[in-house]
Amino acid sequence: MSEGAAGAGTSVEAVFREERGRLLASLVRRFGDLDLAEEVASDAIEAALVHWPADGVPDKPGAWLLTTARRRAVDRLRRDRAYAERVAILQAEADRTDPGAPDEPDDGIPDERLRLFFTCCHPALPGESQVALTLRCLAGLTTPEVARAFLVEPATMAQRIVRAKRKIRDARIPFRVPGADELPDRLPGVLRVVYLVFTEGYAASEGPELLRVDLALEAIRLARILHRLLPREQEVTGLLALMLLVHARRDARTGPDGDLILLDDQDRGRWDRTLIEEGRELVVRALTGGPVGPYAVQAAIAALHDEAVDVATTDWPQIVALYDVLARIAPSPLVALNRAVAVAMRDGPAAGLVLLDALADEPRLRTHHLYPAARADLLLRLGRTSEAAQAYRRALELVGNDPERRFLTARLDSLRRT
């Protein structure tokens, strides 16, 4: 392939990745069938790969892809009358449940992605299917790429996605944005899925790497899309702010060999100041104009960490106060664990350990390595080395990824030498 053709190919790939979600959403809106939409979207991309390297990328690539895909869909429906009748029924039902016209951006193509977000994250679907469909349909990942994100075989992921699509079809899950009265109940589910993608990128649940930067970036890209589509939703703003402020530290969180570097020891000069400034600006907007939500509070905590020169001068009293707010509006064992660690930084390890020990019977923490790891750290700071070693051993039984396992092993080995 010539340099020019290779460059065109790269350009086509970039355009497709950006446009795929909008293209797919527009086609589902028009035909009411996710399988048909994916099939003709792929056909349109294949046509683009043939024509664009020779003719150049059109001025409105999204419009070109949509027109081509629609023609392929019409051809398919003409060939298969039974399939066309079923699609017509689905389309009629969709029009009846949501007759409103979507907004059109500058290029004249309706941006239907918000509908697709709510369909992929519908509560009738299992959680793992919600994440898989969102990555497949809105992030533009291929099925093998989604499989790698879940550390499963592509065939397994393909079956999972097929089952999810079948559920959407058989249960007649509507392709629509919930009404204003439903949105407060449905939006948290969409945000949760995007945040799950990010947290897996922040700290892999298993495998040789601590970070999955590709997943973190995809989650941020999805959050940016949601923020563009729902700019007045404070929790959407809060989620984007949180992810930017946390992702800003990525380069300092591991060493050259991929080993974990704790917050105390990170070179803060390597933190991404551009992301931090963007996140701080968003935090202000997320905290004003209405009731404060959990993502906005977590973003405020992340901003305090990012603003500090070091751990010692971090504003721990304010962080504890924010965790108090978070514990009231979104209580969970992990929030309680993080609050206990913050209290330990403010009042000393003994105070934090009392709070951690009070969480010993929480079922969700019994199988989470962060709980014994946090106890081990506080016990070590109190000079209770035997108990600390026992807690490190328990954390090693539960940890999933290799860098954290190496970190815990090194801590345990250091105790054995004392």
Side-chain angles (χ1 to χ4, degrees), residues 156-169:
T156 302
M157 181 52 63
Q159 291 173 355
R160 188 177 298 174
I161 291 175
V162 167
R163 285 197 296 270
K165 290 179 182 174
R166 189 181 301 140
K167 176 71 175 180
I168 290 174
R169 183 192 64 204

Side-chain angles (χ1 to χ4, degrees), residues 31-326:
F31 299 104
D33 185 284
L34 190 51
D35 278 330
L36 176 64
E38 282 210 296
E39 179 183 327
V40 297
S42 296
D43 287 349
I45 294 303
E46 288 181 11
L49 288 170
V50 171
H51 293 286
W52 292 6
D55 302 337
V57 177
D59 293 338
K60 295 181 178 180
W64 191 99
L65 289 168
L66 183 58
T67 300
T68 303
R70 280 176 171 170
R71 287 172 179 162
R72 300 296 174 94
V74 170
D75 290 343
R76 163 76 189 275
L77 295 175
R78 282 174 176 163
R79 290 197 305 269
D80 189 336
R81 178 173 297 179
Y83 190 67
E85 290 174 351
R86 183 166 64 82
V87 167
I89 293 172
L90 292 172
Q91 183 183 342
E93 290 181 348
D95 291 342
R96 187 171 59 250
T97 56
D98 189 18
D103 296 332
E104 292 192 1
D106 293 340
D107 60 6
I109 303 173
D111 195 333
E112 312 272 13
R113 285 177 292 186
L114 196 56
R115 300 171 195 269
L116 196 51
F117 266 111
F118 281 99
T119 300
C120 292
C121 302
H122 195 277
L125 299 172
E128 60 185 17
S129 297
Q130 294 178 20
V131 177
L133 273 182
T134 301
L135 289 175
R136 178 79 183 91
C137 297
L138 285 152
L141 271 62
T142 64
T143 298
E145 287 173 331
V146 179
R148 279 199 295 276
F150 282 86
L151 302 175
V152 300
E153 293 297 321
T156 302
M157 181 52 63
Q159 291 173 355
R160 188 177 298 174
I161 291 175
V162 167
R163 285 197 296 270
K165 290 179 182 174
R166 189 181 301 140
K167 176 71 175 180
I168 290 174
R169 183 192 64 204
D170 295 346
R172 304 285 174 89
I173 291 175
F175 179 66
R176 67 180 180 88
V177 177
D181 57 332
E182 300 173 273
L183 200 59
D185 291 332
R186 293 288 307 282
L187 184 58
V190 174
L191 300 184
R192 182 184 60 82
V193 167
V194 176
Y195 192 50
L196 280 175
V197 176
F198 180 78
T199 54
E200 183 62 21
Y202 174 78
S205 54
E206 57 183 295
E209 306 292 339
L210 175 67
L211 310 179
R212 300 285 307 278
V213 175
D214 54 340
L215 284 181
L217 290 175
E218 284 302 337
I220 290 172
R221 197 169 73 85
L222 291 171
R224 288 191 187 282
I225 293 171
L226 279 172
H227 185 247
R228 196 159 53 243
L229 297 173
L230 294 169
R232 296 180 181 176
E233 290 293 333
Q234 287 174 249
E235 274 296 84
V236 176
T237 306
L239 176 61
L240 178 57
L242 171 61
M243 293 195 292
L244 294 175
L245 290 163
V246 172
H247 191 63
R249 307 176 207 142
R250 65 196 180 282
D251 290 341
R253 291 184 57 227
T254 55
D257 49 7
D259 282 350
L260 169 67
I261 299 178
L262 294 181
L263 187 64
D264 315 36
D265 304 318
Q266 290 177 15
D267 176 2
R268 298 184 180 220
R270 299 184 65 199
W271 289 4
D272 189 327
R273 292 294 157 188
T274 301
L275 289 187
I276 290 173
E277 287 309 310
E278 183 183 0
R280 290 179 62 194
E281 182 181 337
L282 289 169
V283 167
V284 175
R285 290 155 55 185
L287 292 173
T288 55
V292 175
Y295 291 116
V297 176
Q298 292 176 81
I301 294 171
L304 287 173
H305 283 298
D306 288 357
E307 292 166 358
V309 175
D310 52 36
V311 169
T313 59
T314 300
D315 191 346
W316 292 107
Q318 191 171 348
I319 288 177
V320 171
L322 287 168
Y323 273 120
D324 288 342
V325 174
L326 190 58

Side-chain angles (χ1 to χ4, degrees), residues 333 359-368 394:
L359 301 172
D361 294 330
E362 286 289 348
R364 287 177 57 188
L365 295 182
R366 286 179 182 172
T367 57
H368 203 306
R394 177 57 180 159

Side-chain angles (χ1 to χ4, degrees), residues 381-397:
R381 289 166 59 188
L382 291 168
R384 295 161 59 176
T385 55
S386 176
E387 295 168 86
Q390 185 178 357
Y392 278 130
R393 283 193 288 271
R394 177 57 180 159
L396 275 168
E397 292 173 357

